[in-house]
């Protein structure tokens, strides 16, 4: 009988299953053009958030710069001091909350 994985590993697995458990979920910036088609730009501004501690194979800030092509409005790219799997924590919440306060 195996020991259960530590809580941190269980949490990571839950995120991976939730985010990648459907073929309708894009895998990253490289998939966006094929999903959005020719008329891909929207009127709303985009705030993109990259993990500051990202591997070269992941969604780096450089790759995310391409998202500016998906808006006819403003584009801002922020970085959060977290890894790819840890980005959904307090630093991201604080960044988003402060951004929303600007439009409230």
């Amino acid at each position: 009988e195996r020991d259960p994985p530590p809580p941190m590993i269980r949490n990571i697995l839950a995120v991976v299953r939730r985010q990648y458990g459907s073929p309708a979920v894009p895998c990253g910036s490289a998939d966006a053009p094929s999903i959005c088609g020719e008329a891909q730009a929207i009127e709303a501004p985009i705030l993109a958030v990259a993990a500051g501690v990202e591997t070269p194979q992941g969604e780096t800030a450089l790759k995310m710069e391409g998202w500016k092509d998906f808006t006819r409005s403003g584009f801002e790219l922020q970085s959060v001091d977290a890894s790819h799997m840890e980005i959904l924590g307090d630093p991201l919440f604080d960044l988003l909350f402060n951004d929303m306060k600007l439009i409230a």
Side-chain angles (χ1 to χ4, degrees):
E1 197 170 302
R2 295 183 193 176
D3 291 334
M8 183 177 113
I9 300 298
R10 286 196 305 264
N11 290 339
I12 290 171
L13 287 171
V15 170
V16 169
R17 287 182 181 127
R18 184 175 65 249
Q19 290 183 346
Y20 304 107
S22 166
V25 176
C27 292
S29 295
D31 297 318
S34 62
I35 292 168
C36 297
E38 294 294 322
Q40 59 194 15
I42 61 173
E43 298 295 330
I46 294 176
L47 170 61
V49 182
V53 186
E54 182 62 271
T55 65
Q57 298 86 0
E59 280 295 293
T60 63
L62 182 62
K63 290 179 186 176
M64 293 184 75
E65 280 287 337
W67 282 90
K68 67 182 170 210
D69 296 337
F70 292 98
T71 181
R72 288 190 276 283
S73 187
F75 175 81
E76 183 179 353
L77 176 58
Q78 293 284 329
S79 182
V80 172
D81 187 25
S83 71
H84 184 88
M85 297 305 291
E86 297 170 332
I87 197 169
L88 298 175
D90 289 340
L92 177 63
F93 174 81
D94 292 341
L95 186 149
L96 296 175
F97 183 72
N98 289 327
D99 185 69
M100 285 190 271
K101 285 195 300 189
L102 294 174
I103 59 173

